[in-house]
Amino acid sequence: MDTHSPFEKLLKDMPQRLAEDASFVRELETYAYLVTVKKGELLLRPGEICQNAYFINKGLFVNIFTSEQGKECVTGFASDFPYPFLSEISYFTGTPSNFEIKALEDGELLCLSRTQIESLSARYPLFASYYQNVMLVIISKLYMMFAYLQSYAAEEFIQFLYAHHKWIIQRVPDKYIALYMGISTSWYCKLKRKIILKQA
């Protein structure tokens, strides 16, 4: 396989036996297609049904909920490292989404439709177990991050991010971390500076 193939990173993430199955790889490369997005573009808009799941080769994405009053709330982040899979709850429910998925960096993703994933899962049990585990990791991540967010004071949560999810601090714009935490951007920046000075 071409070392510059857009499938290289995804196949490395899969069990070796699956990645070395020539029949599976051929089908995967037939089904999946490459999507490129620019910073600020939307992968999903409110009111759309999320029909696809994505593997992030490159980029950073944010899930945003906007209330009827226009207030934005960030519910999670996904990046090429360490959580390269991206979808939305609408994918599972089949109902219109209340969220948008926005690119915070230029991105490159592999896209598979739900129908294609189900087809591959039916014929390749190892892929079925792999993808089920991927979805469980995503759900677990969202629940645990929410639990930590609710359990810690704002400064403690930022310290937690520095210790365990430093990529968020380093890559996500302050505005979106503040929206995720439910605090003002100015207050977030003040707390972040305080923590940085402590660690200096």
Side-chain angles (χ1 to χ4, degrees), residues 103-199:
L104 297 182
E105 300 172 354
D106 291 350
E108 177 186 286
L109 312 95
L110 286 171
C111 177
L112 276 165
S113 72
R114 180 172 181 167
T115 301
Q116 292 163 342
I117 289 170
E118 289 174 350
S119 176
L120 286 171
S121 296
R123 286 175 291 107
Y124 297 94
L126 190 56
F127 176 77
S129 61
Y130 164 76
Y131 191 70
Q132 182 182 47
N133 183 64
V134 163
M135 292 296 102
L136 289 173
V137 168
I138 292 173
I139 293 168
S140 174
K141 177 197 73 169
L142 289 172
Y143 273 104
M144 288 308 300
M145 288 292 283
F146 179 77
Y148 285 122
L149 182 59
Q150 294 297 308
S151 301
Y152 290 147
E155 184 174 342
E156 292 173 325
F157 185 73
I158 298 170
Q159 290 172 331
F160 165 77
L161 290 181
Y162 261 103
H164 301 285
H165 302 279
K166 200 168 184 178
W167 65 273
I168 293 177
I169 300 289
Q170 293 172 332
R171 293 178 66 180
V172 176
D174 293 342
K175 168 189 172 181
Y176 293 102
I177 301 178
L179 283 171
Y180 182 63
M181 295 177 62
I183 62 177
S184 69
T185 304
S186 60
W187 180 238
Y188 167 76
C189 291
K190 181 178 180 179
L191 292 175
K192 186 174 77 166
R193 284 195 298 270
K194 180 180 177 182
I195 291 167
I196 291 173
L197 287 173
K198 282 183 179 178
Q199 295 183 351

Side-chain angles (χ1 to χ4, degrees), residues 1-32 34 54-57 80 84-85 108-112 120 124 126-127 130-131 134:
M1 185 174 59
D2 180 358
T3 56
H4 299 292
S5 165
F7 295 89
E8 180 183 15
K9 187 176 177 182
L10 173 57
L11 290 172
K12 283 183 178 178
D13 191 73
M14 293 181 173
Q16 184 176 354
R17 185 156 57 91
L18 189 61
E20 293 177 350
D21 185 328
S23 175
F24 168 78
V25 173
R26 277 195 303 271
E27 290 194 54
L28 177 68
E29 292 180 343
T30 299
Y31 282 154
L34 195 64
Y54 301 90
F55 179 86
I56 307 170
N57 278 335
D80 43 46
F85 285 92
E108 177 186 286
L109 312 95
L110 286 171
C111 177
L112 276 165
L120 286 171
Y124 297 94
L126 190 56
F127 176 77
Y130 164 76
Y131 191 70
V134 163

Side-chain angles (χ1 to χ4, degrees), residues 89-110:
I89 193 66
S90 167
Y91 173 88
F92 302 102
T93 64
T95 56
S97 176
N98 293 314
F99 299 83
E100 67 181 35
I101 299 176
K102 183 177 183 179
L104 297 182
E105 300 172 354
D106 291 350
E108 177 186 286
L109 312 95
L110 286 171

